[in-house]
Amino acid sequence: MQVSGKKKWISLLLVVACISLLSGCSNQSSQSSDYNNSFYEAKTSVSPELYEHDSATDLDEYSDSQTETATDAVQTVSPTAEPTKEPTNTPTPTQEPTPIPTPTIEPVPTAEGSSTSDAVITAGLAQEAEITPTGFGEKSDTAVSTVTLLTLGDNILHQKNIDSGLMSDGTYNFDKFFALQADLIAAADIAVINQETTLGGEHYPYAGYPKFNSPTAIGDAIVKVGFDVVLHANNHITDYGTEGLLYTLDYWDTQPAVTVL
């Protein structure tokens, strides 16, 4: 009886164990099936068309079609670039130079035995004689006068120049300074000289640079050779102040034929 009771319990335990084992396998199979189903559903939800193809070739063709579709979408969205306009160059109008009329020279009749140049000069002098400065647009019988003007300067005496005019009797003579220009000075209607030194005479020592004082004998030579105007408005007239200037003017007061400026 005891052995028979143990066999019953063993058999019962084996049955329970088998039932538990079968129950566990069934649960695992159910879970695996559920997992596979959910995995398939997830993939098919992403791209259901992809999983309808069975071969590798179909998958490549599908991938190419998707790429072409994306390219077409990009080309459709991309804006078309407007063609660039080239700048048009506006031609600059050119101005034609105004022609300058060429003066015509009428031939001058020549007398027998005279050259063409002599005739032209004679005609020019004749026309000049008809022009007068008396009034604008008026004519006069008075012929035009000409004036010749001669100027010389600076007439400045350094110490060597002063010493060269000293005579044996102690006086000074500077006539030789203008010997070569005497004819030109005498021929001029107005001869002007710029006397660059003070003519203080014996009131001051005779001196050259930098404070010039010359003998009044240089003034005598200027008057003798024929100068009409003497200029003293220069930078050395006040080398000895106002007093030296007044001594200079005192000397020229003794030469009324000369105008001093």
Side-chain angles (χ1 to χ4, degrees):
M1 282 299 288
Q2 294 179 352
V3 173
S4 177
K6 290 182 179 179
K7 288 182 179 180
K8 289 180 179 180
W9 283 107
I10 292 171
S11 298
L12 182 60
L13 291 173
L14 289 173
V15 171
V16 172
C18 289
I19 293 172
S20 299
L21 180 63
L22 291 173
S23 177
C25 290
S26 176
N27 292 333
Q28 290 181 355
S29 176
S30 176
Q31 291 177 358
S32 176
S33 177
D34 294 340
Y35 174 77
N36 291 332
N37 291 334
S38 62
F39 179 74
Y40 177 77
E41 291 176 358
K43 288 189 174 182
T44 55
S45 64
V46 173
S47 180
E49 296 178 0
L50 181 63
Y51 289 92
E52 292 177 0
H53 301 277
D54 297 329
S55 64
T57 303
D58 294 338
L59 290 175
D60 293 338
E61 292 177 356
Y62 176 77
S63 177
D64 292 340
S65 65
Q66 293 296 319
T67 303
E68 292 177 358
T69 303
T71 303
D72 294 340
V74 172
Q75 292 178 354
T76 303
V77 174
S78 300
T80 57
E82 295 183 359
T84 57
K85 297 182 180 179
E86 296 183 357
T88 57
N89 295 328
T90 304
T92 304
T94 57
Q95 296 182 353
E96 297 182 357
T98 304
I100 301 175
T102 303
T104 57
I105 302 176
E106 297 181 358
V108 180
T110 59
E112 296 182 359
S114 62
S115 63
T116 303
S117 60
D118 293 339
V120 172
I121 294 173
T122 303
L125 292 176
Q127 293 178 358
E128 182 181 354
E130 297 177 359
I131 301 172
T132 59
T134 55
F136 180 78
E138 299 180 0
K139 291 187 177 181
S140 174
D141 296 335
T142 305
V144 175
S145 299
T146 59
V147 176
T148 58
L149 176 67
L150 179 144
T151 60
L152 186 147
D154 295 340
N155 190 38
I156 185 167
L157 277 70
H158 290 270
Q159 190 61 53
K160 289 183 178 180
N161 303 124
I162 296 172
D163 295 341
S164 67
L166 181 61
M167 302 288 101
S168 58
D169 60 356
T171 59
Y172 287 88
N173 187 296
F174 299 101
D175 293 346
K176 61 182 179 181
F177 280 15
F178 308 106
L180 298 178
Q181 298 86 15
D183 293 339
L184 293 175
I185 296 170
D189 294 319
I190 301 175
V192 183
I193 186 172
N194 177 41
Q195 182 57 42
E196 190 75 10
T197 62
T198 300
L199 303 185
E202 296 180 352
H203 297 285
Y204 307 104
Y206 300 139
Y209 183 84
K211 294 179 64 175
F212 293 89
N213 177 49
S214 303
T216 55
I218 188 64
D220 297 340
I222 289 172
V223 175
K224 185 177 180 180
V225 76
F227 281 102
D228 305 290
V229 179
V230 177
L231 305 179
H232 269 289
N234 51 61
N235 58 310
H236 287 292
I237 190 59
T238 57
D239 281 356
Y240 292 86
T242 304
E243 187 180 59
L245 187 153
L246 293 175
Y247 282 136
T248 301
L249 295 179
D250 288 343
Y251 165 75
W252 287 115
D253 285 343
T254 65
Q255 307 291 343
V258 176
T259 299
V260 179
L261 299 176

